[in-house]
Amino acid sequence: MNLLKKLETERLILKPTTLADAEFIRNLFLSPKWIEFIGDRKLKTIEEVENYIETKFTPQFERLGYGNYTIIRKSDGEKIGSCGLYDREGVNGIDIGFALLPDFEKKGYGFESVNHLKEIALTDFKLTQLSGITSTKNKASQALLMKIGLQFEKKIILPNETEEILLYTLIQEESHLHDINRTILV
């Protein structure tokens, strides 16, 4: 299986983020909710974002076969957000994360994309533990993490950070993975 392929849901395409997505990623990074709940990456120019993609996103795809995906709406080809699986320092397991541009929130796209990515993580990527981190103020993110099956574990502070955040986890037992694989094959 080509792990760098596009993933699809009923309404969305999740494609590995590349340099071609730099302008969109810049707009996402500069959106008010991104800055409020995820943090200001201090990336203002396309060149800075391209460098971020080349040094953060691309190496993880090369190393692990998964990473940040740009979410594209099938109906019109519009880039609406991103979701991904991140090998993040200070988080046990792989962190599943997501963000949408404000115009595309509250339409089910966040759940549709991140739930599909969770299933791919457990079946195709064979991950047994997923984590999700979120701001204590981001109630929508907390609700979505629980909706896809993660449970609140504890409050943490990531390395080199000062703000306390919430950690959610999902630990997949091996026997359940076999049940999922058997269901997919039937």
Side-chain angles (χ1 to χ4, degrees), residues 124-141:
D124 294 6
F125 300 136
K126 310 283 189 243
L127 300 179
T128 58
Q129 181 174 348
L130 290 176
S131 296
I133 56 173
T134 187
S135 164
T136 58
K137 299 175 283 189
N138 193 341
K139 301 300 182 198
S141 179

Side-chain angles (χ1 to χ4, degrees), residues 100-114:
L100 296 173
L101 288 174
D103 289 348
F104 304 102
E105 294 174 350
K106 297 184 169 75
K107 295 176 172 38
Y109 296 132
F111 174 76
E112 185 174 333
S113 61
V114 82

Side-chain angles (χ1 to χ4, degrees), residues 1-178:
M1 171 182 184
N2 176 6
L3 299 179
L4 298 181
K5 71 175 187 168
K6 293 178 184 176
L7 308 174
E8 292 193 39
T9 69
E10 182 180 335
R11 301 181 297 165
L12 306 170
I13 295 170
L14 284 62
K15 73 165 207 65
T17 301
T18 66
L19 292 176
D21 302 307
E23 183 175 354
F24 167 75
I25 294 296
R26 182 180 69 89
N27 293 339
L28 188 62
F29 282 178
L30 294 175
S31 66
K33 284 189 178 177
W34 181 286
I35 292 171
E36 178 183 1
F37 294 131
I38 299 173
D40 188 351
R41 296 281 191 257
K42 309 227 184 293
L43 303 172
K44 308 296 186 222
T45 69
I46 297 297
E47 294 77 22
E48 290 170 329
V49 174
E50 287 174 340
N51 184 57
Y52 189 88
I53 291 169
E54 287 181 322
T55 60
K56 301 284 187 188
F57 294 164
T58 304
Q60 186 183 305
F61 266 112
E62 291 169 351
R63 185 168 48 90
L64 299 175
Y66 50 80
N68 192 77
Y69 296 85
T70 298
I71 304 169
I72 302 167
R73 190 166 53 185
K74 284 181 177 179
S75 64
D76 58 6
E78 183 86 20
K79 294 176 183 179
I80 65 170
S82 72
C83 65
L85 299 167
Y86 310 102
D87 185 13
R88 191 179 307 279
E89 184 181 1
V91 176
N92 290 331
I94 296 297
D95 175 31
I96 189 165
F98 47 89
L100 296 173
L101 288 174
D103 289 348
F104 304 102
E105 294 174 350
K106 297 184 169 75
K107 295 176 172 38
Y109 296 132
F111 174 76
E112 185 174 333
S113 61
V114 82
N115 193 57
H116 184 69
L117 187 57
K118 177 198 77 169
E119 293 301 324
I120 296 295
L122 297 175
T123 57
D124 294 6
F125 300 136
K126 310 283 189 243
L127 300 179
T128 58
Q129 181 174 348
L130 290 176
S131 296
I133 56 173
T134 187
S135 164
T136 58
K137 299 175 283 189
N138 193 341
K139 301 300 182 198
S141 179
Q142 294 165 33
L144 184 51
L145 288 171
M146 289 187 293
K147 188 173 180 179
I148 66 166
L150 281 73
Q151 296 179 351
F152 173 74
E153 184 176 326
K154 61 184 175 180
K155 293 180 179 181
I156 63 169
I157 298 176
L158 292 176
N160 305 314
E161 297 290 334
T162 57
E163 183 182 344
E164 193 171 59
I165 59 174
L166 305 177
L167 172 68
Y168 290 77
T169 58
L170 170 70
I171 298 175
Q172 190 67 52
E173 295 181 24
E174 291 295 324
S175 62
H176 184 68
L177 286 177
H178 297 303

